[in-house]
Amino acid sequence: MNIVVLVKQVPDSGAERTLSRTDHTLDRAGAELVLDEINERAAEEALRLKETADAHITVVSMGPDSALDAIRKVLAMGADRGIHICDDRLHGADLLTTAKVLAAAVRTVADVDLVLAGDAATDGGASAVPAVVADLLALPQVTHVRQLDVDAGRVRALRETENGQATLDAPLPALVSVTEKINEPRYPSFKGIMAAKKKPVDTVGLDDLLPDADGFLVSRTRVVEAVPRPPRAAGTRITDDGSAGRQLAAYLIAQKLV
């Protein structure tokens, strides 16, 4: 079985994040970057499948030079090979461009049986890239999965959303995006970290994946201005002298909240 795992390097959600003054995109030079946790869970699911079947795992990530660290971490967990999409022209790529480039990278892997991804990146939260990649590759898409079984050339998954649960079944090849409930990812061992340094990682650019990319539209929107959020203004304090209820009601009416 050939498995592809899509991963992304994102700013640490616990650290301060700032925007570039030039184009208002994330200032990666000043951010603490980590492998997105949801991608670790997608990688863990691939590794669990590898433990029960003969499988080869390829890790694909799009990003600057630093994104190689995210690939190496998944290789240290136990994946076999990496593909690093690195091209300055992809800076600020929107959702559709990202999906097109990732889909093109998946096409370079021979006989793919399963594509795994996280359901939503923590820095964007659009929860749409996996579905668009599946559409571009003409694969069945099984999204928001919290439990996955692969057997006899099919995937069977428990899909969970805020509206309920459903059990889905699809033939391979297919694309599956997972939620944070699917598993607990393993920590890379020292042996795995050392082995990852010797595992192959192919670095490709936009021209390698999309030879007709002249004039490629990287983003269909741009941020023209960004300003810091203004500080919160002081609230209105009501002292209960017997008329607090009436004062509160009057305030809510004035704010057109009731």
Side-chain angles (χ1 to χ4, degrees):
M1 179 187 298
N2 283 330
I3 303 174
V4 173
V5 182
L6 306 179
V7 305
K8 186 179 184 182
Q9 188 184 56
V10 298
D12 188 342
S13 58
E16 183 178 355
R17 289 165 285 181
T18 59
L19 300 178
S20 166
R21 294 184 178 181
T22 55
D23 60 4
H24 309 300
T25 59
L26 173 68
D27 181 7
R28 288 182 172 268
E32 184 178 348
L33 302 173
V34 297
L35 170 64
D36 201 345
E37 183 182 349
I38 194 64
N39 298 154
E40 291 188 53
R41 298 180 189 275
E44 174 64 27
E45 200 62 20
L47 293 169
R48 294 187 182 194
L49 291 172
K50 184 178 179 180
E51 290 171 351
T52 60
D54 182 17
H56 184 278
I57 302 173
T58 301
V59 188
V60 176
S61 184
M62 185 180 93
D65 292 340
S66 61
L68 183 59
D69 293 337
I71 295 174
R72 290 292 182 195
K73 181 171 184 179
V74 182
L75 293 178
M77 291 171 67
D80 302 289
R81 170 181 172 243
I83 299 177
H84 180 198
I85 307 163
C86 186
D87 195 309
D88 290 341
R89 290 173 292 176
L90 292 172
H91 174 75
D94 64 12
L95 184 152
L96 182 57
T97 294
T98 300
K100 285 183 176 179
V101 174
L102 290 174
V106 173
R107 290 192 189 100
T108 67
V109 182
D111 302 321
V112 174
D113 297 293
L114 180 64
V115 180
L116 284 166
D119 63 341
T122 55
D123 62 343
S127 193
V129 168
V132 179
V133 171
D135 185 65
L136 293 171
L137 295 174
L139 296 178
Q141 53 178 282
V142 184
T143 56
H144 301 284
V145 171
R146 65 169 296 172
Q147 182 178 323
L148 178 66
D149 294 301
V150 179
D151 186 47
R154 302 188 70 85
V155 295
R156 186 175 178 84
L158 178 63
R159 183 179 195 266
E160 181 178 73
T161 68
E162 59 184 13
N163 297 319
Q165 296 182 349
T167 300
L168 304 179
D169 180 271
L172 296 177
L175 182 145
V176 174
S177 69
V178 304
T179 72
E180 73 282 353
K181 296 181 180 179
I182 194 164
N183 58 47
E184 286 295 329
R186 69 193 67 188
Y187 290 100
S189 65
F190 177 75
K191 181 180 179 181
I193 293 172
M194 298 306 294
K197 296 179 180 180
K198 299 179 181 179
K199 292 180 179 179
V201 177
D202 299 323
T203 300
V204 297
L206 190 57
D207 293 329
D208 300 310
L209 299 175
L210 301 169
D212 57 349
D214 288 342
F216 191 73
L217 190 60
V218 173
S219 180
R220 289 146 190 81
T221 60
R222 67 186 181 92
V223 179
V224 296
E225 184 181 8
V227 296
R229 179 184 297 175
R232 293 184 62 178
T236 300
R237 176 174 293 183
I238 296 175
T239 301
D240 190 3
D241 58 0
S243 63
R246 291 191 296 275
Q247 293 182 59
L248 179 58
Y251 175 81
L252 294 175
I253 292 171
Q255 298 299 316
K256 297 181 179 181
L257 296 175
V258 294

